[in-house]
Amino acid sequence: MTDYTSMANGGLPRISPYQAGKPIEEVQRELGLSEVIKLASNENPFGMSKKAVAKCAEALNSSHIYPDSNGYYLKQKLFEKFGYDPKTITLGDGSNELINLIFQTFINNKVNVVIPAYSFVVYPMEATVADAQVKTIPLKDWVIDLDAVYDAIDSNTRMVVLANPANPTGTAVNINKLKEFVKKVPHETLVVIDEAYNEYQKEEDFDDTAKWIAECPNLIVSRTFSKAYGLAGLRIGYMVSNEEIASLVNRLRAPFNVNAIALTAAIEALDDTDHLKMVVAENAKERDRYVKYCADHNLYMIPSQANFVSIDFKRDAFPIYDALLHRGVIVRPLKGYKLDTILRISIGTHDENTKLFKALDEILKSLK
């Protein structure tokens, strides 16, 4: 019998498939529930801008035509909004695809990649597929330890990958320390900053990191429209780098990798600043409710600057996850990260969070 696994490239046989959160329909079907809320995948509970929805409806009339493979108008909008040269922008099917493309472009079995512990699972997965050595750096009080990351860089380090804010912790590094770090990393080592949640950060910890590329040509910044802009179902993100890196990655990028509806939605989402401000403000307000809930119930919440929180229940959290599921609330256990006592919970609307708190009250009371 043929062993096809042995025929797979690189370290692919050593990794497990990515396990996405349970969809609402599956939970309803399995448990016979009529009302289910999903607080598991860090989605924006307010959805996309209504202006974007209207434009998407118009764009459907041209969906028989291939999209603009180069995303000219979206790149022009990013230039207009942030000043990024279109030649430095790469568009992707979500920022996840861009991370994949960066690894495929630069990582092989002769180099190593430095990744902080408890990072987004895709980073070590891509490094393993490429058969590269992964250097995992412990966190310091749940925050990326930039000094330790820098100390781990050697002559074979091709890439450092940092998520800021990070997933699944939600923590962010001090922006001034981050800039100092990026400036001192040797230009032969790429620094990838994944900013999927950057719109949610506190103002004092925010800077337009893509503007640092002029001084730091080894810096690559990836962003997504999936979170604060609410376009998760359309799958679109972008990456800013120096022009040479963008040219290399774009050679690997598939033609028409971003669909026409997503391109249209992203342009309108960038224009609707009122919607973005509302989303960020509501998220901050509801995040404060989680802080208070945890304080009132003697639970530890990792300090978050994202649209989710990770709560340590100081006991095996899977029974709590399962009990929430049976009450129609989907959250995310972190057993895959070996964080068995922690649940990651996406910040929903006021009513959704209230339902979560009420369900948790019942569950925690029954466990006493």
Side-chain angles (χ1 to χ4, degrees):
M1 185 173 178
T2 303
D3 180 7
Y4 293 105
T5 300
S6 67
M7 296 164 60
N9 289 333
L12 183 61
R14 299 199 303 272
I15 66 173
S16 300
Y18 179 76
Q19 296 293 323
K22 277 180 174 283
I24 289 173
E25 296 79 9
E26 183 180 340
V27 174
Q28 287 177 318
R29 185 173 62 251
E30 286 182 358
L31 302 179
L33 298 171
S34 58
E35 183 183 348
V36 174
I37 61 171
K38 185 184 177 189
L39 302 176
S41 300
N42 305 343
E43 294 149 335
N44 179 342
F46 303 101
M48 74 169 81
S49 153
K50 286 185 173 57
K51 295 178 182 178
V53 172
K55 283 291 183 179
C56 286
E58 291 178 22
L60 283 171
N61 293 321
S62 301
S63 58
H64 59 293
I65 299 171
Y66 282 115
D68 173 10
S69 185
N70 291 315
Y72 174 84
Y73 290 108
L74 177 54
K75 289 181 180 179
Q76 288 299 314
K77 180 59 65 176
L78 290 166
F79 172 69
E80 174 190 316
K81 195 86 177 173
F82 304 116
Y84 307 147
D85 184 338
K87 293 178 182 177
T88 68
I89 299 170
T90 307
L91 301 179
D93 181 34
S95 59
N96 198 329
E97 184 195 26
L98 295 168
I99 298 294
N100 296 348
L101 290 173
I102 295 165
F103 273 87
Q104 290 173 39
T105 303
F106 294 106
I107 303 305
N108 56 56
N109 62 1
K110 297 178 182 177
V111 302
N112 67 65
V113 182
V114 178
I115 304 174
Y118 308 123
S119 289
F120 183 36
V121 68
V122 166
Y123 313 153
M125 182 184 295
E126 287 294 327
T128 301
V129 169
D131 247 350
Q133 178 192 0
V134 178
K135 291 187 174 185
T136 304
I137 312 304
L139 303 183
K140 189 174 183 179
D141 298 326
W142 294 108
V143 179
I144 295 171
D145 186 342
L146 292 174
D147 291 334
V149 170
Y150 182 77
D151 289 342
I153 296 172
D154 61 30
S155 59
N156 287 326
T157 303
R158 177 64 56 81
M159 187 186 297
V160 173
V161 189
L162 308 174
N164 194 51
N167 175 24
T169 63
T171 57
V173 298
N174 177 275
I175 198 65
N176 295 320
K177 290 182 179 178
L178 181 60
K179 188 171 186 178
E180 290 173 10
F181 167 84
V182 173
K183 289 174 72 172
K184 70 180 183 180
V185 172
H187 287 181
E188 295 75 24
T189 297
L190 299 171
V191 179
V192 178
I193 303 180
D194 181 353
E195 295 187 338
Y197 302 94
N198 74 319
E199 291 87 2
Y200 293 107
Q201 284 188 89
K202 295 176 182 176
E203 189 174 343
E204 61 269 24
D205 276 324
F206 176 82
D207 192 12
D208 189 346
T209 53
K211 297 288 178 66
W212 303 350
I213 293 170
E215 291 181 74
C216 309
N218 56 326
L219 175 61
I220 301 171
V221 177
S222 71
R223 296 183 183 142
T224 186
F225 288 94
S226 294
K227 306 305 179 183
Y229 291 102
L231 309 188
L234 294 179
R235 310 303 301 126
I236 181 165
Y238 68 96
M239 176 188 98
V240 187
S241 64
N242 75 53
E243 190 175 333
E244 183 180 2
I245 290 175
S247 174
L248 289 167
V249 175
N250 271 299
R251 294 174 204 184
L252 192 59
R253 180 181 60 86
F256 315 117
N257 65 321
V258 178
N259 71 76
I261 311 304
L263 288 168
T264 298
I267 292 168
E268 294 303 315
L270 286 168
D271 269 340
D272 196 345
T273 54
D274 288 342
H275 182 75
L276 179 63
K277 287 177 182 175
M278 179 276 292
V279 166
V280 173
E282 288 298 315
N283 182 80
K285 190 189 305 180
E286 292 300 307
R287 189 168 56 201
D288 286 344
R289 290 183 71 202
Y290 277 89
V291 172
K292 184 177 187 305
Y293 182 89
C294 289
D296 290 346
H297 292 77
N298 197 29
L299 297 170
Y300 178 72
M301 188 189 104
I302 300 173
S304 174
Q305 290 201 42
N307 67 338
F308 61 87
V309 299
S310 289
I311 300 175
D312 191 345
F313 291 89
K314 304 297 183 185
R315 66 174 83 207
D316 182 6
F318 194 83
I320 299 173
Y321 156 78
D322 192 57
L324 284 169
L325 200 63
H326 282 77
R327 286 169 170 79
V329 182
I330 312 171
V331 298
R332 191 65 182 262
L334 297 182
K335 292 177 76 70
Y337 289 91
K338 294 184 171 49
L339 297 172
D340 293 0
T341 64
I342 296 178
L343 295 179
R344 191 190 69 189
I345 304 172
S346 306
I347 298 170
T349 63
H350 183 88
D351 289 347
E352 287 173 339
N353 298 324
T354 298
K355 178 173 180 174
L356 177 278
F357 295 147
K358 182 178 178 182
L360 262 185
D361 281 342
E362 294 172 0
I363 295 164
L364 294 176
K365 186 176 180 181
S366 70
L367 293 174
K368 285 183 178 178

